Amino acid sequence: MENLKEYKELVSKLPALKKEIGKIIVGQEEAIDEVLIALLAGGHCLLEGVPGLAKTLMVKTLAEALDMSFKRIQFTPDLMPGDIVGTEVMEEHEGKKTFVFNKGPLFAHVVLADEINRTPPKTQSALLEAMQEYKVTYSGTTYQLPRPFFIIATQNPIEQAGTYPLPEAQLDRFLLYIKLNYPTEQEELMVLKNTTGTRNVPLQSVFTEKEIQTLQDLCRQVHITDELLAKVNGLVRSTRPADSTSDFVKQWCDWGAGPRAGQALVLCAKARALMQGRFSVVPEDISALAKPVLRHRIALNFKAEAEGISADKVIENLVWKS
């Protein structure tokens, strides 16, 4: 591994990044870790939680601590692709009229796609195309998006009236599906104390955009043994009813995760290793990330739903069995 000293210095700053975010966000440590893992692995994440859990504040705080541009897009039923990608406007200069492309809010390093399931599929597709290609095309001209480019989409799990749920093929584009839980009693008390007074905490920028790109490149250089690669492969294949040896998978699942899930799990395991200051993946990295990587890539059948079985329960059983 080249430039090892430089890499170690960058990795040693990751706890400081978490500390800066922790100045504003109380609790939610697991969710914060998973968001940072998605960033280091070079993917995007879907964040699900009931209203009031500081999803927007978490993303905004992350962008400030990274010293990167941040844009928030509030998705609504009338939002059109041009509203997020941008549009051409006519400008006149020295008597000559020309069309100029005005970039939309998608042109930022960190983009919060708030309530992505409230906008029609046409607009969802424009966002997901940018996630995959890291560029947008308008009137035959291609525009590169900033790098690093990190999208965090949110959705509310309790209100489904008037929403447009993401199709399974589009869900698969998200590296991680992160669920936020309610804070503990002590954490909620701290939230009340910190947010109802005059407290104003300045944030320090920990990483530049170039340093984040270096960490993303480093993530792919983290070592993983062939044995652990086989473990990931076996876990992913065990989610498929046709390939699985587990009776509960055949009973509860219509279909399982594809090869992209294995790629995601390996990359995220490598990112988690970096988060903990290691340059080699251990089995705990894989088991810790199995749920956020796989939960949106498994389709449960009616029998599972009738029995109250969740995707997380299936994954727990598979991880324990492996």
Side-chain angles (χ1 to χ4, degrees), residues 137-183:
T137 302
Y138 191 94
S139 294
T141 303
T142 299
Y143 302 89
Q144 295 293 330
L145 291 165
R147 300 297 294 268
F149 180 62
F150 185 40
I151 287 182
I152 303 178
T154 71
Q155 63 180 16
N156 176 358
I158 59 176
E159 187 179 350
Q160 298 301 323
T163 62
Y164 303 85
L166 288 169
E168 287 78 5
Q170 294 186 359
L171 278 173
D172 193 40
R173 298 291 180 181
F174 288 98
L175 190 72
L176 295 180
Y177 182 6
I178 302 169
K179 291 189 175 183
L180 266 67
N181 298 313
Y182 286 111

Side-chain angles (χ1 to χ4, degrees), residues 44-46 75 84-85 106 113 116 119-136 145 149 151 153 164-175:
H44 312 281
C45 55
L46 182 62
F75 281 77
I84 65 171
V85 172
L106 205 57
I116 188 174
T119 202
K122 187 175 184 180
T123 307
Q124 290 176 356
S125 297
L127 177 74
L128 292 162
E129 180 185 2
M131 287 169 49
Q132 183 69 18
E133 304 296 335
Y134 294 92
K135 60 186 177 182
V136 297
L145 291 165
F149 180 62
I151 287 182
Y164 303 85
L166 288 169
E168 287 78 5
Q170 294 186 359
L171 278 173
D172 193 40
R173 298 291 180 181
F174 288 98
L175 190 72

Side-chain angles (χ1 to χ4, degrees), residues 37-109:
I37 285 168
L39 173 65
L40 293 180
H44 312 281
C45 55
L46 182 62
L47 199 59
E48 181 180 275
V50 299
L53 293 184
K55 297 186 291 294
T56 302
L57 183 60
M58 181 188 297
V59 182
K60 185 178 180 181
T61 303
L62 170 65
E64 288 183 26
L66 292 175
D67 192 25
M68 296 199 298
S69 57
F70 167 74
K71 291 289 178 65
R72 176 191 177 192
I73 307 172
Q74 182 64 52
F75 281 77
T76 58
D78 59 347
L79 198 71
M80 298 298 290
D83 296 326
I84 65 171
V85 172
T87 186
E88 284 186 338
V89 296
M90 182 179 289
E91 291 186 357
E92 184 173 352
H93 182 66
E94 297 180 351
K96 185 178 179 180
K97 295 180 180 179
T98 56
F99 283 101
V100 177
F101 180 69
N102 276 1
K103 295 179 178 178
L106 205 57
F107 285 83
H109 292 106

Side-chain angles (χ1 to χ4, degrees), residues 231 235 238 246 248 286-288 290-291 294 312-322:
K231 180 182 176 68
L235 178 59
S238 69
S246 302
F248 60 86
I286 296 168
S287 56
K291 286 183 182 179
L294 295 173
D312 283 5
K313 180 64 175 177
V314 174
I315 297 165
E316 281 178 15
N317 290 345
L318 290 173
V319 170
W320 176 81
K321 187 176 179 181
S322 64

Side-chain angles (χ1 to χ4, degrees), residues 69-313:
S69 57
F70 167 74
K71 291 289 178 65
R72 176 191 177 192
I73 307 172
Q74 182 64 52
F75 281 77
T76 58
D78 59 347
L79 198 71
M80 298 298 290
D83 296 326
I84 65 171
V85 172
T87 186
E88 284 186 338
V89 296
M90 182 179 289
E91 291 186 357
E92 184 173 352
H93 182 66
E94 297 180 351
K96 185 178 179 180
K97 295 180 180 179
T98 56
F99 283 101
V100 177
F101 180 69
N102 276 1
K103 295 179 178 178
L106 205 57
F107 285 83
H109 292 106
V110 181
V111 178
L112 173 62
D114 220 352
E115 296 190 283
I116 188 174
N117 57 334
R118 292 208 167 275
T119 202
K122 187 175 184 180
T123 307
Q124 290 176 356
S125 297
L127 177 74
L128 292 162
E129 180 185 2
M131 287 169 49
Q132 183 69 18
E133 304 296 335
Y134 294 92
K135 60 186 177 182
V136 297
T137 302
Y138 191 94
S139 294
T141 303
T142 299
Y143 302 89
Q144 295 293 330
L145 291 165
R147 300 297 294 268
F149 180 62
F150 185 40
I151 287 182
I152 303 178
T154 71
Q155 63 180 16
N156 176 358
I158 59 176
E159 187 179 350
Q160 298 301 323
T163 62
Y164 303 85
L166 288 169
E168 287 78 5
Q170 294 186 359
L171 278 173
D172 193 40
R173 298 291 180 181
F174 288 98
L175 190 72
L176 295 180
Y177 182 6
I178 302 169
K179 291 189 175 183
L180 266 67
N181 298 313
Y182 286 111
T184 65
E185 183 177 358
Q186 191 61 37
E187 289 170 347
E188 195 161 0
L189 186 62
M190 187 62 68
V191 170
L192 296 178
K193 181 179 179 181
N194 291 348
T195 59
T196 58
T198 58
R199 180 175 180 266
N200 184 21
V201 180
L203 291 180
Q204 299 293 325
S205 298
V206 180
F207 288 104
T208 65
E209 54 193 77
K210 183 179 179 180
E211 288 175 330
I212 289 296
Q213 285 185 283
T214 300
L215 283 171
Q216 288 178 339
D217 293 338
L218 174 61
C219 181
R220 289 181 172 267
Q221 299 180 47
V222 172
H223 178 69
I224 182 170
T225 64
D226 290 343
E227 181 182 356
L228 289 180
L229 281 174
K231 180 182 176 68
V232 169
N233 194 41
L235 178 59
V236 171
R237 291 181 64 83
S238 69
T239 65
R240 306 169 194 165
D243 297 327
S244 182
T245 59
S246 302
D247 290 337
F248 60 86
V249 171
K250 298 179 186 295
Q251 292 175 9
W252 293 334
C253 298
D254 276 342
W255 47 265
R260 189 181 284 123
Q263 295 170 328
L265 190 49
V266 170
L267 284 173
C268 289
K270 290 184 174 186
R272 185 178 186 270
L274 278 187
M275 290 280 294
Q276 298 191 358
R278 290 181 279 107
F279 292 91
S280 183
V281 174
V282 296
E284 289 74 17
D285 295 324
I286 296 168
S287 56
L289 289 160
K291 286 183 182 179
V293 167
L294 295 173
R295 61 167 56 114
H296 56 303
R297 295 180 164 105
I298 296 176
L300 301 180
N301 57 28
F302 178 76
K303 179 179 174 62
E305 294 178 7
E307 295 180 9
I309 302 299
S310 66
D312 283 5
K313 180 64 175 177

